[in-house]
Amino acid sequence: MTLSRTICLGFIAVIFTGALLLMMPFSTSTGEWNDPIVALFTSTSAVCVTGLAVVDTGKDFSFWGQLFIALLAQIGGLGYMTTTTFLILLIGRKFDLRHKLAIQDSFDRPLLQGSRNIIRSVIATTLLFELTGIFLLMTVFVKDFGFYQGLWMSVFHSVSAWNNAGFGLLSDNLVQYRSSVIVNLTITGLIIFGGIGYQVIIEFYVWLVTFFKRKKAKYIFSLNFKVATSTTILLLIVGTILIFFTELKNPETLQPLSNFDKIMAAWFQSVTSRTAGFNTIDIGKMTYAGLFITIALMFIGASPSGTGGGIKTTTFRIIGNCTSSILQGKDEVTIYGRTVPNLLILKAISVVFGSAVVIVLATISLSLSEPEDKFEFVQLFFEVVSAFGTVGLSTGITAALSAGAKLTLVGVMYVGRVGILLLMSAILGDPRPTMLRYPEENLLVG
């Protein structure tokens, strides 16, 4: 079995295991068997760290059901290969070259040495951020819900935010806490660091150690670090400004809020649109301009090796620099004084094209399965992009979709999580290099 198939089948196995657990009577608040489609949809949404929900997570699932959702989100956020490798380390077994290659494929980075250290660093980073989030959220939730319920609320939301899952236990998500600075900054901080990628966080940690030890050798950040951080910061700032001005006069979203709350709500939605799925304003009442800005942010998504989805910030940056290079008459793509390999450019183009094809086909499928007078096109399109980007934001139509539409979204969420190229590699087999070369010939483009 190829490495790509190992990863793809691993996610499927976890999804169906989770669906089986969520179907059990002890997982529902009523003590009855859960609907199979609801269980499958919720499990897929959790494992694919999406957050789309067809029922109220806080009311319709028992403590055990909520715990399973949190664990599935944790497994999905860490990645199937990371989780299984960590379990192997716990029982003291050694993993072979095949496992190391699978880790490499899962993290999308050519690093085989020190695979154990990679996994340990990932787990340690996860625990550090999630525990910090839990303690900060407890200062708010314990006061509002009591110690035990407040503790569980803090644990669930911290895990959900770090893994960019977007599941919440409150019926209005986090709308009632849009004025809470602690909740807003804690959740957005977890989302940003969870989505920016473990490689970036670990590299920043190494830089801090080097800086405080005052080593003479200057630390040089990798191109991945520079692109992921700069693009993330740019998208966060631009997203906040655009959402602020498009929703500023909307009486259903930002207009009734104080100036400080308006800025904080715009910031929150800019952050959460990048694959997290929490919301502090009613998404269904946003303007069309605000919805399309959110769709664009959802499509771009998080960074490689992070817990989010989308085409990734690095892919977006490469495509952007490709356009810039053409306009400047250059025949190569450069970023921060480094030439981007042609193979990487082809991969970026393939990711964008494949993602667009999936979204178009899924949107057509939903449009055909739902009556034209039931939902607006932008609602269906928003739902599909949210599923593909593993975001979880919704205009409020998820629960009302037909069974066929829900199953379509299950497939879209899965493709969005494992990645279009990895899935195609699993279906067609790992690509083999060839020495065959064909003569060049120009053609008209554009």
Side-chain angles (χ1 to χ4, degrees), residues 359-370:
I359 289 172
V360 168
L361 292 178
T363 305
I364 292 173
S365 176
L366 258 66
S367 300
L368 292 174
S369 63
E370 303 299 321

Side-chain angles (χ1 to χ4, degrees), residues 326 331 438-446:
I326 291 295
D331 58 359
Y438 293 96
E440 290 186 0
E441 184 175 347
N442 288 327
L443 70 160
L444 298 177
V445 176

